[in-house]
Amino acid sequence: MHKNIDDAIDSMFRIENGLLRREPTLSCWTGFHMAHTNKWYFAYTCDGDTVTVVDACHSQNMKSSESRTK
């Protein structure tokens, strides 16, 4: 579990500087930007140079948008 948390934190620093911006695939992420690595998906906002991660989801939990709530 600790490794998963470290991987997620390390990946967050690559948002908007190495990860591609995508359209959100979860309905609860509508209105946010989305980026992903091979393990983590992030919903985030941008305000100038500030990126705020509003939600993160491990790739194994991205299968059903109906099973995830905000």
Side-chain angles (χ1 to χ4, degrees):
M1 185 170 169
H2 192 282
K3 172 127 175 57
N4 278 339
I5 293 169
D6 288 343
D7 288 345
I9 291 170
D10 291 344
S11 297
M12 281 188 269
F13 286 104
R14 295 176 39 214
I15 294 173
E16 289 291 306
N17 187 19
L19 298 180
L20 296 175
R21 186 183 289 187
R22 297 184 47 187
E23 289 294 317
T25 57
L26 298 177
S27 60
C28 62
W29 287 3
T30 301
F32 298 112
H33 301 299
M34 182 178 127
H36 74 93
T37 65
N38 61 339
K39 291 184 180 180
W40 289 97
Y41 287 76
F42 302 98
Y44 65 96
T45 61
C46 291
D47 184 20
D49 291 339
T50 303
V51 173
T52 303
V53 175
V54 296
D55 199 5
C57 188
H58 194 274
S59 60
Q60 70 188 17
N61 298 323
M62 291 292 290
K63 294 181 178 117
S64 172
S65 62
E66 300 305 320
S67 64
R68 186 156 166 83
T69 58
K70 194 154 177 119

